[in-house]
Amino acid sequence: MPLRLAARGISKRFGSTIALSDVSFQAEAGEVHAIVGQNGAGKSTLMNVLAGALRPDSGSIELDGAAYTPRDPNHARRQGVAIVHQEAALCPALTVAENVLLGVESTKRGLIDRRAAHERTERALDLVAPAERRLALRPEVRAAELGPAEQQLVAIARALAQSERRLLILDEPTSRLGLADTEQLFAVVRRLSENGITVLYISHFLEELRRIASRFTVLRDGKTVKSGAIADTPVDELVELMAGRAVEAEFARKPAPRGKVVLKVEELSGKRLPVGASLELAQGEALGIAGLVGSGRSELLRAVFGLEKVKSGRVRVGALIGPASPARRLAQGVGLLSEDRKLEGLALELSVADNLTLSKLEPFGPFGLVLPERQAAAARRWVQQLSVRCRDVAQPVRALSGGNQQKVALLRLLHHDVDVLLLDEPTRGIDVASRNDIYRFIDGLLAQKKAVIIVSSQFPELLSLCDRIAVMKRGVLGPARPVAEFDEHRLLLEATSA
């Protein structure tokens, strides 16, 4: 087959961070080529370079033997390169036809030509689903009425309708799909490949890649590690290539005896995720939840805390059973640390003292009043406990570093005196020193018989901190097992198996 894409020496830097360093790979016409790597390996940056959203600092790209230097995504699409992101990003109030042709509408005398729009939409939909299999995918149906699988197909149809159909990038296309819908997507990808369209397929599910892709390229730490035929490469070898050398744990806590069960979740399912989750958490225990982005880990914590609707199942906190609002969960001694501290975890314009204490102001004055000095004194005690670096507790939390902001978000849960801490990515985006401070802090909480659930994309972190680990995949939580039964390789293998 002729060469469709050749990327040579692609590098991209963001400030002092090197996202891509001398990345090279090739893909033939009609080939399904898997792009493989852990979170942070550089996959998204590379795909955004190919799709015209980012310009490389150095390197060259050829498309069908000609130089390819897209100015922006529209320019890339005109040259035949389109990307479909993990989230379909449709306009729910618009119809299928309006979404497929958004920005490239058919017009006649300055007005939308609806007949031509429907015909163009039908032709695009023919590429992703035969007419007999797309009862729901009618041009006039609103996107909000479609399920996740149909929305994904509409997003692919839009990419194909708005490009010259040479190279299609699919970023985690099955992360929101069940098995039947995944099979339907596979059929679509095979049909596109047979029509000569090259597909770059990004997925963490390695067994899935072995079924759909012919060749692969592994990225690690922004560099090309290896390219090859996927049929000749065992899954274990792919895992080794992705993970690299063994990473020594930066912190290891000593296991402690489990106390009484303080949280029990039985067959919990949400509106979309989780699909099914059961767990028990005891005093003095750290339970880790491993899994890939989109597996339902965050949704599970949010459902337990009352931020997401529960469709079925049961949550028991101590002797209390049933759903509850976040305010009731806090009153029951359960606190959540959001993975997004800037949007959900902190009020950035308020002071350190306010962020630490606003959820519980009763200790600071009689009759509902807040005496500023009492509030400031309490905030200073918390700041000292976790070595938060700030000018004083009146300083806006926005001015703090990411690590110190995270410490403030964590300390608020302690100010509220919670006994069960649901920690979603507690060390995301913070420096090594702050991370180790937080590790020691969590260890101290466990010594006080607090109970902690930790969701983390960093498998070494879970191996260092947790007593037991459960792996979540496609919305289903597996059984929790002692941490001694896992290593980084095993966790990655279980999280990525089909």
Side-chain angles (χ1 to χ4, degrees):
M1 296 289 288
L3 195 62
R4 170 59 46 82
L5 176 73
R8 300 184 180 93
I10 303 299
S11 297
K12 182 66 180 177
R13 178 190 293 267
F14 299 97
S16 61
T17 301
I18 299 174
L20 297 174
S21 178
D22 196 30
V23 171
S24 300
F25 78 102
Q26 298 179 346
E28 296 178 347
E31 175 186 343
V32 181
H33 192 105
I35 305 295
V36 186
Q38 296 196 76
N39 294 335
K43 303 187 302 297
S44 295
T45 302
L46 178 60
M47 295 306 105
N48 282 323
V49 166
L50 296 176
L54 293 173
R55 290 195 180 188
D57 298 329
S58 61
S60 64
I61 307 171
E62 290 184 359
L63 194 64
D64 288 329
Y68 170 69
T69 54
R71 296 186 298 272
D72 53 46
N74 285 332
H75 188 215
R77 284 193 290 270
R78 289 196 297 273
Q79 295 187 71
V81 178
I83 186 169
V84 178
H85 294 284
Q86 182 174 351
E87 298 296 332
L90 302 180
C91 298
L94 299 185
T95 66
V96 169
E98 289 167 340
N99 272 285
V100 168
L101 301 178
L102 190 62
V104 292
E105 292 84 354
S106 298
T107 59
K108 188 175 184 180
R109 297 173 183 172
L111 300 174
I112 298 293
D113 187 339
R114 299 198 178 277
R115 175 178 292 182
H118 279 223
E119 290 175 354
R120 287 177 62 195
T121 302
E122 290 282 4
R123 288 197 297 272
L125 291 174
D126 282 340
L127 292 169
V128 301
E132 66 272 12
R133 292 194 60 189
R134 61 169 201 263
L135 295 177
L137 284 181
R138 301 186 304 278
E140 68 275 13
V141 173
R142 295 196 181 279
E145 300 173 27
L146 303 176
E150 288 79 18
Q151 290 183 4
Q152 189 72 277
L153 293 179
V154 171
I156 295 173
R158 178 173 62 190
L160 296 173
Q162 297 188 13
S163 76
E164 293 299 318
R165 303 173 188 171
R166 291 201 279 178
L167 177 68
L168 179 65
I169 302 168
L170 298 180
D171 188 0
E172 297 287 353
T174 65
S175 63
R176 301 173 63 218
L177 305 184
L179 292 177
D181 293 333
T182 295
E183 292 298 328
Q184 182 179 358
L185 179 73
F186 284 178
V188 170
V189 172
R190 293 188 185 103
R191 190 157 51 247
L192 297 177
S193 174
E194 290 166 1
N195 287 331
I197 298 172
T198 299
V199 179
L200 299 185
Y201 194 104
I202 302 172
S203 177
H204 286 102
F205 296 107
L206 300 184
E207 291 291 352
E208 176 179 296
L209 294 177
R210 293 178 66 81
R211 294 183 54 207
I212 195 63
S214 56
R215 297 181 67 250
F216 71 90
T217 294
V218 176
L219 298 182
R220 187 174 71 240
D221 298 329
K223 299 178 181 179
T224 307
V225 176
K226 183 178 180 180
S227 294
I230 203 162
D232 299 336
T233 310
V235 170
D236 282 353
E237 184 177 340
L238 283 175
V239 172
E240 291 287 352
L241 290 168
M242 290 169 63
R245 63 179 181 81
V247 179
E248 293 295 327
E250 296 173 326
F251 177 88
R253 59 177 294 263
K254 297 178 181 178
R258 295 180 76 208
K260 67 178 181 180
V261 172
V262 291
L263 174 68
K264 186 172 184 179
V265 176
E266 299 176 281
E267 294 300 323
L268 190 69
S269 65
K271 188 174 182 181
R272 186 176 68 86
L273 290 172
V275 175
S278 299
L279 62 86
E280 285 189 353
L281 181 69
Q283 286 179 329
E285 179 183 31
L287 172 64
I289 299 181
L292 305 176
V293 174
S295 63
R297 304 166 306 165
S298 296
E299 289 85 351
L300 170 59
L301 296 194
R302 294 169 73 86
V304 170
F305 189 62
L307 281 173
E308 300 277 353
K309 289 186 176 179
V310 172
K311 185 168 65 176
S312 62
R314 189 166 71 164
V315 178
R316 177 169 68 83
V317 179
L320 304 172
I321 299 176
S325 66
R328 282 194 63 194
R329 285 286 184 241
L330 279 170
Q332 293 168 358
V334 179
L336 171 71
L337 178 76
S338 170
E339 65 175 331
D340 192 336
R341 61 176 172 267
K342 292 186 182 295
L343 288 181
E344 293 186 333
L346 297 167
L348 295 176
E349 302 303 328
L350 297 184
S351 69
V352 171
D354 283 338
N355 272 277
L356 282 169
T357 62
L358 273 179
S359 61
K360 187 179 180 183
L361 294 170
E362 294 86 352
F364 306 134
F367 312 114
L369 298 175
V370 175
L371 301 178
E373 185 49 44
R374 289 190 188 179
Q375 182 190 28
R380 283 192 290 268
R381 287 194 295 272
W382 288 120
V383 162
Q384 291 169 3
Q385 181 168 334
L386 196 44
S387 302
V388 178
R389 292 188 177 183
C390 59
R391 185 177 62 249
D392 55 51
V393 296
Q395 185 177 13
V397 81
R398 177 186 290 280
L400 275 56
S401 69
N404 286 295
Q405 288 181 357
Q406 191 75 331
K407 291 178 182 181
V408 171
L410 261 174
L411 286 167
R412 183 175 61 244
L413 301 184
L414 272 293
H415 171 70
H416 217 288
D417 197 27
V418 298
D419 296 311
V420 177
L421 292 89
L422 312 176
L423 306 182
D424 195 354
E425 301 286 3
T427 64
R428 172 177 286 172
I430 66 175
D431 59 86
V432 173
S434 294
R435 184 164 65 240
N436 286 332
D437 285 345
I438 289 175
Y439 288 168
R440 287 189 289 270
F441 183 64
I442 292 172
D443 191 43
L445 297 177
L446 296 168
Q448 299 170 33
K449 298 301 181 183
K450 305 283 188 183
V452 182
I453 296 180
I454 302 171
V455 163
S456 177
S457 299
Q458 303 300 317
F459 293 160
E461 182 167 271
L462 296 178
L463 294 167
S464 297
L465 287 172
C466 298
D467 299 289
R468 294 185 300 144
I469 298 177
V471 178
M472 196 158 200
K473 187 166 52 181
R474 298 185 187 273
V476 177
L477 184 67
R481 308 203 303 273
V483 70
E485 296 185 17
F486 292 102
D487 56 23
E488 191 175 350
H489 182 279
R490 172 55 54 186
L491 282 176
L492 187 59
L493 189 62
E494 291 196 16
T496 55
S497 62

